[in-house]
Amino acid sequence: MTLIATDARHYRLLPLRFMRMDTGSSHDILITSDTGEHLHVNDEQLRALSQFDVQTGSAFYKDLLARHFIYEPERHDPFAQMAAQYRSRKDFLFQGPALHLFVVTLRCNHTCQYCQVSRAPLSGSGHDLSEENARAAVDRLFESNAPALTVEFQGGEPLLAFERVRQIVEWVVERNRVQQRDIQFVITTTLHHLTDDVLDFAAQHDIQFSTSLDGPAALHNANRPTPSRDAYERTVEGIERVRERLGHDAVSALTTLTSRSLEQPEAIIDEYVKLGFSSISLRPLSPYGFATKSAQRLDYPIERYLDFHDRALTYLLNINQQGVYLSESYTSLLLKNILTPFSSGYVDLRSPAGAGTAALVYNYDGYVYPSDEARMLLEMGESGLRLGSVQQPLPELLGSPVMQALLASGVAEALPGCSDCALVPYCGADPIEHFARQGDPIGHRMFSTFCKKNMGLLKQVFRLLRDGDDNVQKVLLSWLSRRSYSDVRLPGYRG
């Protein structure tokens, strides 16, 4: 709910939202401001605040002033500072798309049960990005005004079209001699088709690799089968080859959680520890594309995922306190949204929505999509979220009717069910997921899996920030600052 005062005594209210944290306690109400400040209060304090009965000079009163829930007319003007905070939180709006995904091929040797795109056979034709469309996509890339650009190659398996990857990288590097942007290259790959030539080229151009690792061998091989039945072994071999040639941090990994994965959070985390990763991303299944055909066997209620995540987070906190640094990526993004005046930059947590404004996908067929998820809707027979052709200039693509519709439904602060939610400063709108699940880019938040997931995860984080002991606080701050547990010093602030 939202409170906005029209009258006041010695102080006035600034816009705030509040919600109970579902523990049944009258001492468990979260209040938040538009600038992302937060405070835990009880019923009595909230009643006093709304009735202008908070005692001047009390610790509670000082907290409310400092965190911009109240102000004192003619004595205290917080609006310039609040405007600066709000501008920082929405700073991404001043930049064009920074993430550019090139789908260079649909060919792949995997038959992953949760795959979101239909695979093309290894020798299939007509499923690779043409040279003409690749050149046009590079033109679109540099039409963005973002000072830092990420060029990510996807598939299928992009290493099966490595010559196209090589061409695109060389074109971008050549153009950037004049443009002088900060550019990062990433190849999302199984690592099964690595060669010395690929690694040499990656070393020359500082290319990073991202792969999938779903856990121990039995789980990974079940989720990501190959004809040779050795997906796990070949992935681990690829990780070792990249690290040996390019350095330990040149490869990252993501896990996708199927129903069988939810039974073994500790085993999945132990696998990442064993292989020396510094972060793990515990991603639930997505409702897109080819994966919908396997949903009956692999999917699960979001409540089951949240239980898994709570158990996994507890285990991660424990092993970090024992000296093993392993952060959970999404939790780290939420911590940045909660504890700093800056946005995490993560596309799905942006409002206005990041699809199109933050990311663009150049598909193998020459069409442009506002996100990878929009591209995957093709597998469900839906092409309505296509922005246009890669041959069209960027302003035309971003001015398309699809972008107009996404932006109209992509401002969380204006959406029913979100506008009064206390968690909206830290969340996003994600109209594409709502379109995929509910057939409507706005959707009904009561039935929104996106909403249930983010509300559940944010509540987990807020409870840890409030109730966690000093050791838990140090781990969370180490994830936020990307420093080891032993290097973290706690501030005197506790939300």
Side-chain angles (χ1 to χ4, degrees):
M1 298 184 66
T2 307
L3 287 177
I4 301 178
T6 57
D7 191 16
R9 299 175 187 174
H10 52 285
Y11 64 85
R12 293 185 182 176
L13 291 180
L14 291 163
L16 64 92
R17 299 174 176 88
F18 63 91
M19 71 185 306
R20 292 195 182 277
M21 297 295 283
D22 299 335
T23 63
S25 169
S26 63
H27 297 274
D28 200 11
I29 300 171
L30 179 74
I31 62 174
T32 65
S33 71
D34 282 341
T35 57
E37 299 278 6
H38 73 276
L39 195 63
H40 292 274
V41 301
N42 57 38
D43 278 335
E44 182 181 344
Q45 289 173 316
L46 183 60
R47 188 177 301 110
L49 171 62
S50 62
Q51 295 176 353
F52 306 99
D53 279 342
V54 180
Q55 184 177 352
T56 304
S58 66
F60 181 44
Y61 187 88
K62 292 176 181 177
D63 271 344
L64 293 170
L65 274 177
R67 304 189 195 193
H68 299 147
F69 292 111
I70 63 175
Y71 75 103
E72 299 171 329
E74 300 179 1
R75 293 185 56 193
H76 170 232
D77 180 6
F79 298 109
Q81 185 178 356
M82 291 176 66
Q85 287 180 313
Y86 199 78
R87 181 185 175 93
S88 295
R89 191 166 283 270
K90 302 293 186 181
D91 184 66
F92 56 83
L93 291 173
F94 298 99
Q95 299 180 15
L99 175 60
H100 297 256
L101 295 93
F102 290 70
V103 182
V104 291
T105 185
L106 283 191
R107 292 180 289 139
C108 187
N109 67 318
H110 276 62
T111 55
C112 303
Q113 299 181 52
Y114 53 66
C115 185
Q116 297 164 345
V117 293
S118 57
R119 285 84 58 182
L122 298 187
S123 59
S125 60
H127 294 94
D128 289 5
L129 181 66
S130 70
E131 181 174 344
E132 178 187 7
N133 286 331
R135 282 190 180 275
V138 172
D139 290 338
R140 304 293 82 80
L141 167 80
F142 282 107
E143 286 173 354
S144 171
N145 69 336
L149 299 167
T150 297
V151 178
E152 183 171 333
F153 298 100
Q154 291 198 355
E157 170 51 65
L159 293 185
L160 293 173
F162 181 67
E163 288 310 308
R164 185 71 68 234
V165 172
R166 183 197 301 273
Q167 281 183 323
I168 293 169
V169 170
E170 289 175 345
W171 293 336
V172 170
V173 169
E174 182 62 30
R175 289 276 296 272
N176 202 44
R177 298 185 196 282
V178 175
Q179 291 279 341
Q180 293 294 298
R181 310 286 186 94
D182 180 8
I183 296 182
Q184 180 180 19
F185 296 106
V186 181
I187 300 178
T188 299
T189 168
T190 64
L191 300 175
H192 291 198
H193 300 275
L194 278 179
T195 64
D196 290 338
D197 185 37
V198 170
L199 291 170
D200 289 344
F201 187 77
Q204 181 183 354
H205 295 287
D206 197 24
I207 297 173
Q208 303 286 298
F209 290 87
S210 176
T211 194
S212 292
L213 181 69
D214 282 2
L219 178 59
H220 184 91
N221 288 334
N223 283 349
R224 303 179 59 81
T226 60
S228 55
R229 301 182 181 180
D230 59 353
Y232 169 85
E233 291 76 12
R234 293 181 67 184
T235 297
V236 171
E237 179 188 357
I239 291 169
E240 293 171 350
R241 287 188 68 186
V242 171
R243 286 174 171 171
E244 182 179 351
R245 180 69 176 85
L246 306 175
H248 188 86
D249 295 331
V251 59
S252 60
L254 299 171
T255 180
T256 300
L257 301 166
T258 59
S259 181
R260 64 171 65 90
S261 306
L262 300 188
E263 302 297 332
Q264 41 190 318
E266 293 87 359
I268 294 171
I269 291 167
D270 285 345
E271 186 66 31
Y272 274 70
V273 173
K274 182 181 79 172
L275 293 176
F277 285 103
S278 60
S279 68
I280 184 171
S281 179
L282 299 171
R283 302 184 303 169
L285 285 175
S286 297
Y288 303 104
F290 200 61
T292 59
K293 300 178 183 179
S294 305
Q296 187 173 358
R297 288 181 291 108
L298 303 177
D299 207 357
Y300 38 81
I302 195 64
E303 291 78 12
R304 191 173 165 216
Y305 166 75
L306 291 172
D307 289 342
F308 162 89
H309 196 276
D310 193 34
R311 179 175 157 188
L313 205 54
T314 298
Y315 188 63
L316 278 167
L317 291 169
N318 286 335
I319 66 173
N320 273 263
Q321 292 173 46
Q322 295 166 21
V324 175
Y325 181 88
L326 182 65
S327 65
E328 202 287 310
S329 299
Y330 201 75
T331 302
S332 300
L333 294 172
L334 296 179
L335 283 168
K336 183 172 183 180
N337 282 359
I338 292 169
L339 296 178
T340 78
F342 308 105
S343 167
S344 67
Y346 187 64
V347 172
D348 293 352
L349 291 175
R350 285 190 175 185
S351 174
T357 62
L360 288 174
V361 179
Y362 310 109
N363 203 24
Y364 76 97
D365 55 9
Y367 288 107
V368 183
Y369 292 86
S371 72
D372 211 25
E373 292 76 16
R375 189 245 315 190
M376 292 165 184
L377 289 175
L378 278 173
E379 307 303 328
M380 300 165 67
E382 173 57 59
S383 60
L385 295 184
R386 181 184 290 163
L387 299 183
S389 166
V390 73
Q391 302 296 333
Q392 297 172 251
L394 184 61
E396 191 173 320
L397 293 170
L398 296 184
S400 67
V402 168
M403 278 304 304
Q404 301 290 334
L406 290 176
L407 290 173
S409 55
V411 181
E413 292 87 348
L415 295 178
C418 292
S419 60
D420 289 337
C421 178
L423 302 178
V424 74
Y426 321 109
C427 199
D430 205 348
I432 292 175
E433 172 157 336
H434 289 94
F435 183 81
R437 289 190 185 270
Q438 300 185 25
D440 177 0
I442 293 177
H444 195 307
R445 260 44 188 180
M446 182 63 69
F447 307 107
S448 167
T449 300
F450 174 84
C451 183
K452 290 177 182 177
K453 180 192 81 170
N454 282 324
M455 184 175 289
L457 296 181
L458 280 163
K459 285 183 175 181
Q460 285 180 10
V461 174
F462 273 112
R463 282 193 288 268
L464 289 171
L465 289 171
R466 185 198 60 196
D467 299 334
D469 60 20
D470 285 352
N471 291 323
V472 168
Q473 302 293 321
K474 285 180 66 176
V475 173
L476 296 178
L477 289 179
S478 77
W479 292 0
L480 181 64
S481 61
R482 298 181 181 180
R483 291 185 294 162
S484 68
Y485 173 81
S486 60
D487 291 337
V488 172
R489 298 292 179 268
L490 289 178
Y493 167 91
R494 178 71 71 93

